[in-house]
Amino acid sequence: NADGIGLAVSGTKAYVGRANTAESEFIVVDVSNTAAPFTLAELDMSANLNDLATYGTYVYGASGVQLAEIQIIDVSSSTNPFVVNTIDLAGNGDAQSVVVSGTRMYVTRESHGANPTFYVFDLATSSTAPTILGSLNLGSGAEDVALADSSSYAYIASHHDAQEFQVVNTVNPASMLVGGYWDELNDKDNFQGVAVSGTIAYAGSLTRITAGEFFVMNIANPLSPTNLSSLEIGAHVYSVRVPEDKGAVIIGSASSTAELMLIDASDPVNPVIIDKKDHAGEINDLVIVGDHVYTVTGYDALEFRVFQIE
């Protein structure tokens, strides 16, 4: 009954990360038939597996293991995955998100003292022993990171009360800094998810009293992001993703009646919810591949579920 909390999809395989229990936290799922996915293998990680990313025949997991926050899993055999190496980040803050773009891996984590909460790794030299190119203390923990196409900027959903949306220039990872940010003045709740499409970024937050939980940001100037609009969701928004046909956004939330929502954001000043799906449990993460939405959830009878975009 462990919740699904992390997800990656590559080809006909989905990789599911779960909350720590006596059960396995890493699951390999065959999705060659999206109407009938089935488990190929399980692996006990003994910790939360908060997020996953793929690179070649490896899956990188953001975990809650204090001496091994990054887990590197060999999935060259779909039925026999195994941990080939781990990375210990300074301090004890759990790794929260991991994203691979090109030959770089980007990691965010919970805050722990003065230790870095954002890392950039190089995968080109070694997939199993990535080298740190640079790290940065964001002034707080961070939940999610998104990279724009052909951009050197990382967009971060932060726990920072005065910088909930942060932008970091990663051209030179050895000397990174927060170059731009946006402060949501009305509430101090953490941002949870972020996605980027062109000069627009979308972010989701925990439930707010005076503002919506879905935000549209203008990032035409990454060093000076501005808020274009917000939309009331009425629940925590955990995951934000953009399908290939730009202008629409799909979010996973904790809404009791509409955990999966499709938002028309073609007018960034006036986003509108155009479709909702009730799942019976919060959607913690989602991945969009073509016209399918893969989700991991907190519902004990359906931790992994596939939807189709019509």
Side-chain angles (χ1 to χ4, degrees):
N1 293 328
D3 292 355
I5 53 177
L7 179 63
V9 179
S10 179
T12 61
K13 306 297 185 296
Y15 304 99
V16 175
R18 303 174 74 192
N20 184 25
T21 66
E23 303 168 8
S24 300
E25 290 83 21
F26 180 72
I27 315 292
V28 182
V29 180
D30 188 308
V31 292
S32 52
N33 179 358
T34 52
F38 61 92
T39 298
L40 288 170
E42 301 183 7
L43 184 62
D44 186 12
M45 310 297 292
S46 299
N48 287 354
L49 210 50
N50 298 313
D51 195 21
L52 302 169
T54 63
Y55 181 76
T57 59
Y58 299 97
V59 174
Y60 300 87
S63 85
V65 180
Q66 290 187 358
L67 297 178
E69 289 87 355
I70 304 299
Q71 303 278 332
I72 304 174
I73 305 169
D74 187 319
V75 292
S76 54
S77 169
S78 299
T79 58
N80 186 35
F82 62 93
V83 176
V84 66
N85 199 5
T86 63
I87 301 173
D88 180 19
L89 304 179
N92 294 329
D94 292 355
Q96 292 297 105
S97 71
V98 55
V99 172
V100 172
S101 178
T103 59
R104 286 185 177 183
M105 177 172 68
Y106 303 81
V107 177
T108 64
R109 67 186 305 206
E110 291 179 352
S111 180
H112 186 256
N115 294 297
T117 49
F118 178 61
Y119 289 81
V120 181
F121 291 86
D122 175 43
L123 301 176
T125 303
S126 174
S127 301
T128 58
T131 55
I132 295 179
L133 296 175
S135 61
L136 173 67
N137 188 322
L138 297 166
S140 185
E143 200 72 30
D144 196 13
V145 57
L147 287 301
D149 294 338
S150 303
S151 172
S152 56
Y153 293 95
Y155 300 88
I156 295 170
S158 173
H159 298 173
H160 199 304
D161 282 346
Q163 299 180 9
E164 290 89 346
F165 181 79
Q166 297 179 320
V167 185
V168 176
N169 188 329
T170 62
V171 167
N172 184 0
S175 59
M176 295 184 294
L177 52 82
V178 177
Y181 65 87
W182 180 72
D183 177 16
E184 208 297 299
L185 297 173
N186 294 314
D187 288 305
K188 303 299 182 183
D189 293 313
N190 299 339
F191 272 27
Q192 298 290 298
V194 61
V196 175
S197 176
T199 59
I200 300 293
Y202 308 96
S205 77
L206 298 179
T207 305
R208 293 168 175 254
I209 299 173
T210 59
E213 294 80 25
F214 175 75
F215 295 83
V216 182
M217 312 294 298
N218 183 341
I219 55 170
N221 179 0
L223 301 182
S224 184
T226 58
N227 177 236
L228 295 173
S229 61
S230 64
L231 181 64
E232 180 60 50
I233 302 300
H236 299 331
V237 174
Y238 293 126
S239 187
V240 181
R241 299 290 182 263
V242 181
E244 292 180 1
D245 52 337
K246 309 296 192 296
V249 183
I250 294 178
I251 65 170
S253 79
S255 169
S256 60
T257 59
E259 291 83 355
L260 191 67
M261 298 186 188
L262 178 65
I263 298 173
D264 181 354
S266 55
D267 179 0
V269 179
N270 185 36
V272 178
I273 299 170
I274 56 176
D275 197 10
K276 303 177 182 180
K277 287 291 179 288
D278 184 14
H279 174 67
E282 72 272 13
I283 290 178
N284 295 314
D285 198 6
L286 65 89
V287 173
I288 302 171
V289 180
D291 61 353
H292 288 90
V293 182
Y294 301 84
T295 68
V296 286
T297 82
Y299 184 47
D300 287 346
L302 275 178
E303 291 92 349
F304 176 77
R305 195 174 189 185
V306 185
F307 295 85
Q308 185 166 357
I309 305 172
E310 296 180 347

